[in-house]
């Protein structure tokens, strides 16, 4: 169905940060499948894990013990500081699990119709529940009636959260991205997440962080909340966890980890041995390369380089980001930049209409980072001059 406006190129294979099209032309991947291919394309450890696990066992029902899933759960909880995890197949599904936890938490407190505070400009997925939670009319329009139980406030505004909580006794949780991804790489002020943590503690609400885009080292820490030690009660991850194999996870800490009982939630495919084995390899590989440090250093270099190239370019409003989540905000709709970049052999993306977005793989070399900087700046300057 016509759900995407596709660019006119088809890739046949990839290696590291590079993709090749049907004509044999090579492209530097500055998008990594939207923050999915953190370890790049055809990473030997991932390929090896897929082949070896596929030969042994791809799927068993969640009615049976699953050692690969248990091992991944332990690894993931260890790096995330969480206690338990539910495995799904996508980000939206992981967020659905988190929203169900919020409702169970509310019921347990005696709230009949529990509500969750969500943010303007946020993106949480395309299911009815997660599109209702998202703060984008584009995502919601045409799909009403929306799922009820959301209270929307501006992002990066602690007072707005406090005010809603003071007037509305049905609020039981806050759901937020640590950095708005689809919303245009909006980095909140230092202390925002910590402030939300404090508000949630005082009110007895769950703090739910959507780390689907920010997580797994991309922001320069394993998870973006670790920059200010604002540990959530519930956290969702997906995208990079399978490096392209579909897998999502909803993690929980403390009492939130004990809310689900058998029969209340489930997934046929979720956490199957193949996806789980790959997830484990992803975590071990990120650990082995100290990917959080690499992402922080690469990100700072890209940010500096892009600012140097673009600071006096008319039409560039801001160059911002954290780690390998980078956005260049222009003063006009910028979709055409994608095609200009493609012509230059570079893959990047535009989100929130005006923000050119870079989410390159974490295995980028210094030389590739320089190419990404110059190619992006060239494409933007060509666009703005046209
Ligand atoms: C991509 C994304 C989702 C949705 O994930 P899917 O796997 O496409 O369902 C949810 N939240 C954030 C922050 C995302 O970036």
């Amino acid at each position: 169905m016509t759900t995407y406006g596709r660019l006119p190129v088809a890739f046949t294979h990839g290696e590291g940060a590079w993709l090749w099209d049907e004509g044999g032309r090579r492209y530097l991947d500055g998008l990594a499948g939207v923050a999915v291919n953190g370890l790049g394309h055809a990473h030997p450890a991932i390929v090896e894990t897929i082949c070896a696990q596929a030969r042994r066992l791809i799927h068993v029902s969640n009615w049976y013990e699953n050692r690969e899933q248990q091992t991944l759960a332990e690894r993931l909880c260890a790096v995330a500081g969480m206690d338990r995890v539910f495995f799904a197949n996508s980000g939206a599904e992981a967020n659905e699990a988190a929203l169900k936890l919020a409702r169970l938490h509310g019921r347990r407190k005696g709230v009949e119709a529990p509500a969750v505070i969500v943010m303007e400009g946020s993106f949480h997925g395309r299911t009815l529940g997660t599109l209702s939670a998202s703060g984008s009319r584009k995502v919601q329009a045409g799909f009403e009636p929306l799922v009820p139980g959301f209270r929307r406030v501006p992002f990066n505004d602690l007072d707005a959260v406090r005010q809603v909580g003071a007037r509305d006794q049905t609020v039981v949780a806050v759901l937020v991205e640590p950095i708005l991804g689809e919303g245009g790489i909006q980095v909140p002020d230092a202390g925002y997440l910590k402030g939300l943590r404090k508000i949630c503690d005082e009110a007895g609400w769950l703090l739910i962080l959507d780390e689907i885009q920010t997580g797994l080292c991309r922001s320069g820490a394993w998870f973006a909340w670790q920059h200010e030690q604002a540990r959530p009660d519930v956290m969702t991850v997906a995208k990079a966890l399978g490096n392209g194999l579909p897998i999502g996870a909803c993690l929980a800490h403390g009492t939130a980890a004990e809310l689900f009982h058998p029969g209340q939630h489930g997934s046929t495919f979720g956490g199957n041995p193949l996806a789980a084995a790959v997830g484990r390899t992803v975590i071990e590989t990120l650990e082995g390369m100290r990917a959080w440090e690499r992402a922080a250093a690469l990100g700072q270099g890209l940010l500096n380089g892009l600012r140097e190239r673009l600071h006096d370019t008319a039409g560039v409003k801001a160059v911002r980001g954290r780690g390998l989540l980078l956005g260049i905000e222009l003063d006009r709709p910028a979709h055409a930049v994608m095609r200009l970049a493609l012509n230059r052999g570079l893959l990047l993306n535009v989100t929130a209409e005006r923000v050119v977005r870079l989410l390159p793989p974490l295995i980028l070399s210094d030389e590739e980072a320089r190419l990404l900087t110059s190619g992006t700046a060239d494409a933007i300057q060509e666009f703005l001059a046209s």
Side-chain angles (χ1 to χ4, degrees):
M1 297 188 187
T2 53
T3 49
Y4 286 86
R6 297 176 193 271
L7 288 161
V9 63
F11 302 108
T12 54
H13 63 287
E15 192 184 329
W18 297 89
L19 284 163
W20 281 261
D21 74 10
E22 291 164 310
R25 182 166 180 216
R26 160 179 115 131
Y27 300 79
L28 180 60
D29 189 356
L31 185 60
V34 194
V36 167
N37 304 101
L39 298 173
H41 302 279
H43 190 289
I46 301 293
V47 174
E48 179 50 41
T49 299
I50 291 173
C51 294
Q53 186 60 43
R55 273 187 216 106
R56 274 199 298 274
L57 185 66
I58 293 176
H59 175 85
V60 289
S61 163
N62 277 311
W63 288 106
Y64 306 102
E65 299 286 343
N66 176 339
R67 301 291 171 231
E68 288 78 17
Q69 188 182 121
Q70 287 168 349
T71 305
L72 173 59
E74 281 160 20
R75 293 290 159 91
L76 195 52
C77 285
V79 293
M82 296 276 135
D83 295 330
R84 285 178 178 272
V85 52
F86 170 80
F87 287 108
N89 312 288
S90 68
E93 278 182 58
N95 282 337
E96 288 285 346
L99 293 171
K100 287 176 74 171
L101 287 178
R103 288 194 168 181
L104 284 181
H105 173 71
R107 288 292 157 69
R108 178 178 280 195
K109 299 206 316 176
V111 179
E112 275 285 308
V116 178
I117 292 181
V118 291
M119 306 301 155
E120 289 171 11
S122 65
F123 179 78
H124 299 296
R126 301 286 192 159
T127 61
L128 285 172
T130 57
L131 75 82
S132 301
S134 297
S136 150
R137 275 307 294 159
K138 202 178 102 189
V139 168
Q140 296 174 342
F143 303 111
E144 298 83 359
L146 300 181
V147 174
F150 296 106
R151 307 283 182 270
R152 198 167 307 284
V153 300
F155 183 63
N156 197 23
D157 184 343
L158 291 172
D159 278 336
V161 174
R162 281 189 206 100
Q163 279 162 22
V164 170
R167 354 176 248 280
D168 188 338
Q169 296 306 306
T170 68
V171 171
V172 299
V174 175
L175 167 62
V176 61
E177 296 163 77
I179 296 168
L180 296 187
E182 305 303 303
I185 315 295
Q186 306 275 359
V187 185
D189 297 337
Y192 177 62
L193 294 180
K194 196 121 195 153
L196 288 177
R197 179 68 274 175
K198 186 154 176 283
I199 292 170
C200 287
D201 283 340
E202 285 166 5
W205 301 344
L206 297 183
L207 176 60
I208 306 174
L209 293 185
D210 178 342
E211 291 249 14
I212 290 165
Q213 193 158 148
T214 51
L216 296 165
C217 301
R218 180 161 293 278
S219 79
W222 269 104
F223 297 97
W225 61 262
Q226 291 164 340
H227 292 295
E228 45 189 74
Q229 290 310 313
R231 176 161 55 187
D233 302 289
V234 178
M235 174 175 81
T236 53
V237 297
K239 294 202 161 88
L241 184 54
N243 207 58
L245 221 75
I247 182 168
C250 174
L251 296 98
H253 174 253
T255 55
E258 311 298 333
L259 286 167
F260 277 143
H261 293 298
Q264 284 189 308
H265 198 45
S267 168
T268 298
F269 296 131
N272 75 44
L274 182 63
V278 172
R280 171 191 179 170
T281 297
V282 166
I283 292 191
E284 289 176 354
T285 307
L286 291 172
E287 226 158 20
M289 64 183 274
R290 300 182 71 81
W292 58 95
E293 285 174 6
R294 184 70 187 143
L298 275 168
Q300 197 56 55
L302 281 162
L303 204 55
N304 294 344
L306 287 165
R307 282 183 174 151
E308 206 169 291
R309 277 289 310 272
L310 294 171
H311 75 274
D312 57 359
T313 301
V316 174
K317 291 183 70 179
V319 181
R320 59 178 177 250
R322 180 154 211 182
L324 290 176
L325 298 115
L326 297 151
I328 302 117
E329 185 176 341
L330 308 186
D331 67 354
R332 64 199 80 169
H335 287 281
V337 177
M338 285 192 271
R339 178 88 72 129
L340 295 176
L342 189 71
N343 293 343
R344 293 173 174 277
L346 175 63
L347 306 182
L348 46 70
N349 175 250
V350 171
T351 191
E353 285 300 311
R354 291 155 192 252
V355 181
V356 177
R357 176 170 56 165
L358 297 178
L359 299 166
L362 281 47
I363 45 89
L364 213 62
S365 70
D366 293 339
E367 178 54 24
E368 288 160 348
R370 276 191 290 277
L371 274 173
L372 182 59
T373 304
S374 61
T376 302
D378 289 345
I380 288 172
Q381 286 172 339
E382 182 186 355
F383 168 70
L384 290 169
S386 63

